[in-house]
Amino acid sequence: MKRLIPALALALLSAQAPAQTGPVAEIGQGRVRGFSEDGIHNFRNIPFAAPPVGELRWRRAQTAPGWSGTRDATAFGAVCPQRLMPGRNAEGVQDRPMDEDCLYLNVWTPDLNPREPLAVMVWILPGGFTFGDAGMPVYDGSGLAGQGVVVVTFNQRLGFLGQFAHPALTALEPDHAIGNFYLSDQVAALEWVRDNISAFGGDPGNVTIFGMSAGGVAVNYLLALPAARGLFHRAASQSSSVRPYRPRHLSDDRDGRPSLETTGLGMARSLGVQGSGDEAVSGLRALAWQKIFDYQDQFPLGSMNPAVDGKFLPEALGPVFSQGRQHDVPYLTGATSWEGSLLMRLDNADFLLNALDISRDEIRDLYGEVDERTILNNLEFDTFFGSQRWLARQHAGAGKPTYLYHFDYVYERQYGSVPGAFHGAETAYVFKTLDARAPDGPTEQDWAMSELVSAYWVSFAKTGDPNGTGRLVWPLHTRDSDILLDFGQDGAKPVIGLEKRRMQFMESRYDSGRM
């Protein structure tokens, strides 16, 4: 029962409360009040979809609620349920509570009423679709917003709450069964941006999606997603890896991989969910999210890349890109030199070779007689950069502006002690948040690289072309030129045919549909 506060006491409390100040924006749902810091207006914890709880668990994102009065938007909200791992996400969520009611976004803007609407950059989280939070310090949008753009970060459902299927759920909404609920969340966030970003000085007709790792994977899939058409106008995929022709599927077990429904049935049995139809749906939605994640922990999931459902995501990326049917927007993509940093816990390459159906003979032909660590590092780079290069070549071949990069810059104090730039290293340089990542603090050289990288990304967001005054020209990537921009210790330089023989091997596998 709610405790009732007498009207007189409530009036006294209100009178004693400090006056509320801060920038106010009026959106379709109501008014929001944020705060200003160093010339940037911050708005946090704005709902972009209805809470995905109760009957909305494992359903497509629904319309966000509105409110009366002015909503406080000065603090980050709840973290979407996930496992906390030191060195990956535990530090970044800052002890905030976890809750399934977590579909909120954050906005950074330099000007609520600019002369001309500002380009918008919408960040999509990394984390294998299993962890991450839009309020982590490394994704602070202030450094980008200070260059004259509006920045948006948002949360999405994660793990088995973000990707799940069960025959009873499919039967409940046969025309809307999607499995990839995080993709639905991403579309809902972009629809919110379309409808509301002008209140923050943003241009809904100039939206860039950008993301790293799983976020980069999502960018690639959004380029092929019918529901995302027209919601963004540039796309940047960073440090991601996809198998264009071999995704999982909603209902069909294929290529030795279980469907989402097969996995869902296994979870239901294990957690004691009985029956089928409405009984199964009720049982699944009654499960505490902690029990779902306890079950999820039994499996080495890695990344939960999108599964083809035949409806929301009708087909794999391969045929869409190879036939030039992806959305017609400028595309920037690439990878880091040490993507193998993801595999530091492995000391043998057999698992990766088996997963990719690559033989030891093929590896010896590609790399020579090398140790297991070199195989792991080389092959992880080849799958990450190789898949992005393949997508870039398809995009360029369809006549769409394409820019390819290789990020090899290492924090100055780490240079010489690590094999290269770790997975996703470019992210802190783009956001200009090196303080959140650099060991022992960033140096002037590190900051200079961040200024360069961030300026390229911002120019791309503003115009669809990363080039601008005072920077080396980043040439268009074409199927004939195979040219990219390499970021290294000496700055940026164009490179043609990076690891050409290895890339041709990977390209042949993508072209043949083997990956």
Side-chain angles (χ1 to χ4, degrees):
M1 183 175 180
K2 290 184 179 179
R3 183 182 172 208
L4 298 178
I5 301 176
L8 179 58
L10 185 61
L12 289 172
L13 284 172
S14 299
Q16 294 169 3
Q20 290 184 324
T21 60
V24 174
E26 183 146 9
I27 59 177
Q29 298 148 274
R31 291 187 301 277
V32 290
R33 177 179 283 108
F35 68 95
S36 300
E37 187 173 57
D38 298 328
I40 303 300
H41 307 305
N42 295 249
F43 297 85
R44 298 174 175 176
N45 200 32
I46 303 173
F48 67 88
V53 300
E55 292 186 357
L56 297 187
R57 178 191 277 180
W58 294 315
R59 284 190 63 191
R60 192 179 301 200
Q62 304 294 304
T63 302
W67 53 85
S68 60
T70 301
R71 178 186 174 91
D72 180 77
T74 59
F76 293 120
V79 176
C80 289
Q82 59 193 270
R83 287 300 183 219
L84 295 182
M85 297 163 284
R88 301 183 78 177
N89 63 338
E91 299 84 359
V93 301
Q94 302 170 323
D95 299 320
R96 282 180 282 127
M98 285 188 194
D99 197 304
E100 280 187 81
D101 179 3
C102 63
L103 297 185
Y104 297 84
L105 54 74
N106 316 298
V107 180
W108 290 259
T109 179
D111 193 341
L112 290 168
N113 298 288
R115 278 186 173 183
E116 298 290 338
L118 303 174
V120 182
M121 298 181 71
V122 180
W123 174 249
I124 304 178
L125 288 174
F129 303 107
T130 62
F131 67 90
D133 180 77
M136 295 174 76
V138 71
Y139 312 134
D140 185 288
S142 301
L144 286 169
Q147 299 171 74
V149 295
V150 178
V151 180
V152 178
T153 68
F154 65 92
N155 280 341
Q156 61 190 14
R157 284 171 279 184
L158 300 168
F160 279 4
L161 293 175
Q163 186 187 67
F164 185 80
H166 185 283
L169 289 169
T170 303
L172 192 66
E173 295 186 292
D175 295 329
H176 297 285
I178 62 174
N180 308 300
F181 300 100
Y182 57 73
L183 277 183
S184 171
D185 298 341
Q186 292 162 17
V187 169
L190 290 171
E191 290 174 337
W192 185 96
V193 167
R194 177 197 62 199
D195 297 339
N196 296 286
I197 206 62
S198 59
F200 302 90
D203 182 356
N206 187 3
V207 175
T208 295
I209 56 171
F210 68 127
M212 180 269 285
S213 193
V217 170
V219 167
N220 294 327
Y221 273 90
L222 288 168
L223 280 163
L225 192 71
R229 185 177 297 279
L231 294 178
F232 61 93
H233 312 92
R234 298 91 165 80
S237 174
Q238 305 166 204
S239 231
S240 74
S241 175
V242 297
R243 300 182 71 178
Y245 288 94
R246 296 293 182 95
R248 290 178 70 191
H249 289 258
L250 180 75
S251 303
D252 300 328
D253 300 338
R254 296 192 191 181
D255 303 316
R257 306 170 75 192
S259 69
L260 298 188
E261 285 189 354
T262 296
T263 300
L265 283 166
M267 187 184 85
R269 286 192 295 268
S270 179
L271 298 183
V273 175
Q274 304 294 325
S276 59
D278 291 345
E279 182 183 6
V281 170
S282 297
L284 287 166
R285 287 181 172 155
L287 291 171
W289 66 257
Q290 292 88 343
K291 289 189 68 174
I292 295 170
F293 279 79
D294 287 342
Y295 177 82
Q296 180 183 307
D297 284 349
Q298 300 176 46
F299 305 96
L301 290 171
S303 181
M304 299 177 70
N305 283 3
V308 169
D309 56 51
K311 301 178 181 69
F312 192 69
L313 181 62
E315 56 186 323
L317 284 184
V320 175
F321 271 79
S322 64
Q323 296 167 26
R325 292 186 282 111
Q326 68 274 23
H327 304 324
D328 188 5
V329 302
Y331 181 48
L332 185 156
T333 189
T336 66
S337 55
W338 187 29
E339 296 289 356
S341 59
L342 286 171
L343 304 179
M344 290 302 293
R345 295 181 181 179
L346 294 182
D347 55 15
N348 182 282
D350 285 342
F351 174 80
L352 187 59
L353 292 170
N354 291 336
L356 298 174
D357 190 25
I358 296 176
S359 71
R360 289 277 177 176
D361 287 340
E362 288 173 313
I363 288 299
R364 278 189 289 271
D365 183 54
L366 279 178
Y367 307 149
E369 294 291 344
V370 295
D371 60 26
E372 291 296 293
R373 176 55 52 199
T374 301
I375 293 173
L376 286 166
N377 284 344
N378 286 359
L379 194 52
E380 191 78 342
F381 172 79
D382 290 355
T383 54
F384 273 74
F385 182 74
S387 68
Q388 295 309 110
R389 175 181 175 272
W390 187 85
L391 292 171
R393 288 169 70 77
Q394 309 312 307
H395 204 69
K400 309 175 197 298
T402 305
Y403 299 89
L404 185 64
Y405 73 86
H406 173 241
F407 192 84
D408 191 31
Y409 182 84
V410 175
Y411 291 120
E412 188 176 12
R413 292 191 173 101
Q414 278 191 325
Y415 186 64
S417 64
V418 293
F422 60 83
H423 171 67
E426 71 271 55
T427 299
Y429 293 84
V430 172
F431 275 94
K432 300 174 73 172
T433 52
L434 299 186
D435 288 324
R437 285 284 173 89
D440 303 317
T443 66
E444 289 186 11
Q445 179 178 305
D446 297 336
W447 281 119
M449 177 56 71
S450 182
E451 291 286 343
L452 178 66
V453 171
S454 193
Y456 276 122
W457 259 248
V458 168
S459 290
F460 178 75
K462 289 180 177 179
T463 69
D465 182 338
N467 293 295
T469 304
R471 295 193 299 277
L472 182 76
V473 172
W474 186 336
L476 280 165
H477 179 78
T478 70
R479 293 198 65 118
D480 295 330
S481 70
D482 195 17
I483 195 167
L484 55 77
L485 195 65
D486 180 85
F487 295 94
Q489 300 307 117
D490 298 325
K493 65 179 183 295
V495 172
I496 297 173
L498 179 69
E499 298 292 359
K500 185 173 183 178
R501 186 165 176 267
R502 286 160 54 179
M503 291 303 106
Q504 287 175 335
F505 171 78
M506 298 304 296
E507 185 171 27
S508 70
R509 295 175 61 81
Y510 294 122
D511 284 341
S512 66
R514 293 177 65 189
M515 288 184 70

